[in-house]
Amino acid sequence: MTRQTECGPGRRGVHRHMSTQQELDNVVSFYDDQVTLYADQEIQTVTLKALLGRRAKKAGAEEAALPTTTAAVDGDDHDHHQQDLEVNLQMARYARKELPVRLARRVKSIQNLPFIIGTNPYIKRVYRLYYDSFQALTAFQEDIRDKEDLDRFAEVLRGLVESHTDVIPMLSQGFLECKKYMNTTDIQTFLDEMIRSRIGIRLIAEQVIALRAQRTDILKCDDNEESTQDSCSTITTDQSNADSKVIGVVHTQLRPAELVKDCASFVQELCNVNYGSSPDVVINGQTDATFTYVPVHLEYILCELLKNSLRATVEHSAKIGRSVPRRETSIFDEPSEEEGSIDHAEVRQVRQVDKGGSLSSSSPTRKEKGGEELDITKRPNEFGHPPVEVTIAQSEHEITIRIRDQGGGVSQEDLDHIFDYSFTTVKDENETSSSSSSAAASGGPLDGGSPSNESESIFTGVSRLAMQAGLGGPIAGLGFG
C-alpha cells in the first residue's frame, strides 16, 4: 500500500494511474446504456399521500391518507409493529424504484452540458456523485423483503444523502469557472431542474431513513419494557400524541406559527451577529392554524425570507437614519400628555411578544396625538427598527403566510433579476476591496456595482459562504435562497 505522505516518482506514478483510471471510468459511465434506460422512464410525483402511506389515518391525517387499510388502534403489539414494518417496506420499495430514475436523469443532464463545462473538476465531482449513487442503488436488490433488507437499504440511502451535502457549492463554483461557455438562461434552466430534482431525491431518501429510525426507537422502548415498564409507559403517555403526528419527515399537524417563532429567533440572533441589532418579529392572524407539511422545507423557506426582511429593515434604517428619540429609549417611561395615556402592563405584554417572538393575534392600540390609533406592535424597537410582521391565514384548502417589512422594497433595476442564480445585492468584501484597489490604481471609477461584478459576486463567494462555520453562516449573499 502506498503511503499518502510519500513523495517522489512513485507517488506521482500512483496519482497518474488513479487519474487515468478515473478518466476511463468517466468515459465508461458516459456510454452506460443502463443510465439511458432508467432516464427514459417516467418519474412519479412525490406527494404527501405517498410519503404518509397507510399510517396517515393512524396519525389522524385522514385527508392526507391513501385509501388503503389503516392500522388498528386496538390489538396485539406485534400486529402494530408488523404493519409499521410493512409501511416502511413499501416506502423503501418505492424509493428503490424511483430514485434510480431521478438520478439517471441528472446524470444525463450533466452529460448534455457543453463538453468544456463537463471537464470542469467541480462539475465532474458532482457528476461522479450522481453516477456512483445511481450505481449503488441499481446494484441493490429490487425486492426489499424484510427488516434486514430495509436496514441495509436505509444505510445505503444515508450514505447517499451525506455524500450529496455539498453539491450546490460545487455546482456554483463550477459554473463560476465555466459560465462564459453557457448563457444565463441555460444555466438557470439547468440549476432549476437540478435543485428541484435534488429536493425530491432527498425527500424520498430521508423519509425512508426517518421511518426506519422511528420504528427502531419504538422497538427499543418495547425491548426495555420489562425492566423499565413504568418509565417507558410514562414516556409513551407523554409523547404519544406528539410522536403520532410525525411520520418520517412529515408532520401531520404542523403549526406554522410555532415554526415562524423558532425561525425568527434564529434569524434575529444571526442579524445581531452581523449588524449589532435586529427588528422585532410580530406574528398575528390565525396563529392556531395547523396543516400537513414537511417542517424542514417550511423552516428553510421561512429562514430565507426572514433573513431578507430583517437584513433589509436594518440596512434601510441605517440608510434613512431611522432611530428612536431618546425619550423613547425605555418603553416603561411615563408618557407625556401629548403622547396620550397607555396601559403599562399592556405595553409590557406587547413588548414581550415582540422580543420573544411569542404568538399574539391581538393588536393593542393607544391613542396618539390627533386621536389616531397606533398599533403598539408596529412601533419601532429601541434601535429604531420597525417590526417585521408575519401574518398567517388559513382557508379550507390552503394556508398563506405573509411576511411584511419596512425595508425599502426592491429597486426597479433589481426587480427583473431577483430570481436569477447569478444575482445578489450583497457585495463580496474581498472582491469589493480588490476591485476598488484596482480601479484606484488605474484611475477608474470606484463604483464596483456593474452587473458583471454582481454576477461574479454570487459564484465567487458562494462556496466559502455556504460552508462557513459558526452561527448559521452569513445572513445573505449566496443567491440560492
Side-chain angles (χ1 to χ4, degrees):
M1 179 177 179
T2 304
R3 289 170 54 88
Q4 294 298 315
T5 56
E6 289 179 356
C7 299
R11 177 174 168 80
R12 289 195 296 270
V14 171
H15 281 298
R16 188 181 303 111
H17 172 72
M18 292 176 61
S19 177
T20 304
Q21 184 61 46
Q22 289 174 351
E23 293 296 333
L24 180 60
D25 291 343
N26 288 335
V27 172
V28 172
S29 67
F30 196 89
Y31 295 100
D32 190 340
D33 291 337
Q34 192 178 26
V35 172
T36 304
L37 179 65
Y38 275 88
D40 289 340
Q41 297 179 25
E42 293 293 327
I43 63 171
Q44 301 179 40
T45 303
V46 183
T47 65
L48 291 176
K49 290 182 179 181
L51 295 176
L52 292 172
R54 295 187 298 179
R55 291 175 57 176
K57 267 196 174 182
K58 184 179 177 181
E62 295 184 9
E63 292 183 1
L66 284 173
T68 54
T69 305
T70 61
V73 176
D74 300 319
D76 188 80
D77 286 342
H78 175 74
D79 293 335
H80 290 312
H81 296 328
Q82 192 59 38
Q83 288 176 335
D84 285 345
L85 175 59
E86 184 57 34
V87 171
N88 293 6
L89 290 173
Q90 287 181 359
M91 186 65 209
R93 292 169 189 146
Y94 166 72
R96 169 60 183 83
K97 179 181 179 182
E98 182 68 13
L99 290 180
V101 177
R102 292 171 177 263
L103 290 168
R105 288 189 169 204
R106 292 309 97 214
V107 170
K108 294 296 290 186
S109 70
I110 299 176
Q111 289 179 352
N112 290 332
L113 288 172
F115 177 79
I116 189 65
I117 296 180
T119 60
N120 177 272
Y122 292 99
I123 303 299
K124 284 167 65 175
R125 285 175 61 189
V126 173
Y127 175 77
R128 286 303 313 184
L129 275 175
Y130 276 87
Y131 183 71
D132 290 345
S133 299
F134 169 79
Q135 284 192 312
L137 290 182
T138 53
F140 200 92
Q141 63 196 61
E142 292 189 20
D143 185 17
I144 301 175
R145 300 180 300 271
D146 50 32
K147 177 182 176 300
E148 286 70 27
D149 292 344
L150 175 64
D151 290 343
R152 289 190 298 109
F153 185 65
E155 286 304 314
V156 171
L157 293 183
R158 187 186 302 279
L160 182 153
V161 170
E162 292 176 354
S163 67
H164 285 244
T165 300
D166 297 326
V167 162
I168 300 302
M170 285 191 290
L171 281 174
S172 63
Q173 183 63 33
F175 279 106
L176 162 67
E177 299 175 1
C178 300
K179 59 185 175 65
K180 64 182 179 181
Y181 303 113
M182 196 171 178
N183 64 59
T184 303
T185 302
D186 290 340
I187 291 177
Q188 177 128 354
T189 300
F190 175 84
L191 290 174
D192 277 344
E193 294 176 353
M194 199 76 179
I195 294 175
R196 189 179 299 115
S197 175
R198 171 183 164 85
I199 292 171
I201 290 171
R202 290 181 66 91
L203 183 59
I204 295 172
E206 288 173 348
Q207 180 69 350
V208 175
I209 296 169
L211 285 175
R212 179 236 187 178
Q214 287 175 357
R215 181 176 180 277
T216 301
D217 291 341
I218 293 173
L219 291 177
K220 284 181 179 178
C221 184
D222 289 344
D223 291 340
N224 296 330
E225 189 170 4
E226 293 183 2
S227 58
T228 58
Q229 184 172 1
D230 292 338
S231 61
C232 189
S233 298
T234 301
I235 293 172
T236 303
T237 301
D238 294 340
Q239 297 181 349
S240 58
N241 290 335
D243 293 343
S244 65
K245 297 174 184 177
V246 180
I247 302 177
V249 296
V250 182
H251 199 305
T252 60
Q253 297 184 40
L254 178 64
R255 287 190 66 189
E258 291 287 355
L259 200 54
V260 171
K261 175 184 174 183
D262 293 339
C263 293
S265 177
F266 165 74
V267 176
Q268 283 175 317
E269 190 173 359
L270 189 60
C271 192
N272 285 328
V273 169
N274 283 269
Y275 294 103
S277 65
S278 66
D280 296 330
V281 177
V282 177
I283 307 169
N284 55 30
Q286 295 173 268
T287 56
D288 58 346
T290 62
F291 72 127
T292 300
Y293 204 66
V294 181
V296 67
H297 288 182
L298 183 58
E299 179 183 11
Y300 183 86
I301 295 168
L302 288 172
C303 281
E304 290 300 314
L305 295 178
L306 286 171
K307 283 197 295 184
N308 287 346
S309 287
L310 268 65
R311 172 197 161 215
T313 299
V314 174
E315 291 184 352
H316 194 60
S317 291
K319 180 179 180 181
I320 66 175
R322 204 156 43 190
S323 63
V324 177
R326 183 173 298 277
R327 63 180 176 80
E328 293 189 15
T329 300
S330 173
I331 63 171
F332 305 116
D333 291 343
E334 291 290 339
S336 64
E337 292 182 2
E338 290 78 9
E339 287 182 292
S341 61
I342 181 170
D343 186 334
H344 287 191
E346 185 179 51
V347 174
R348 189 175 296 108
Q349 179 183 7
V350 171
R351 187 54 66 187
Q352 286 174 349
V353 166
D354 290 345
K355 283 298 182 184
S358 300
L359 312 184
S360 173
S361 57
S362 61
S363 296
T365 59
R366 57 166 289 182
K367 289 288 185 179
E368 282 292 310
K369 186 176 178 180
E372 296 182 0
E373 289 188 346
L374 173 66
D375 185 346
I376 297 174
T377 63
K378 296 182 179 179
R379 294 181 65 192
N381 62 8
E382 61 268 33
F383 300 104
H385 307 313
V388 172
E389 182 181 9
V390 182
T391 304
I392 300 169
Q394 186 177 36
S395 65
E396 184 179 357
H397 299 295
E398 62 184 23
I399 191 165
T400 301
I401 302 174
R402 182 185 64 188
I403 300 177
R404 296 197 296 181
D405 61 68
Q406 298 180 49
V410 181
S411 64
Q412 191 62 42
E413 58 267 26
D414 291 343
L415 196 57
D416 294 335
H417 304 288
I418 58 177
F419 290 110
D420 292 349
Y421 291 103
S422 59
F423 176 80
T424 178
T425 57
V426 177
K427 305 296 189 300
D428 182 79
E429 295 181 359
N430 294 331
E431 280 196 356
T432 303
S433 175
S434 175
S435 60
S436 298
S437 300
S438 298
S442 61
L446 297 176
D447 53 20
S450 67
S452 61
N453 285 343
E454 295 201 351
S455 178
E456 286 282 335
S457 176
I458 172 59
F459 288 120
T460 300
V462 67
S463 298
R464 173 180 57 83
L465 294 173
M467 297 181 186
Q468 277 185 350
L471 185 61
I475 194 168
L478 303 185
F480 279 73

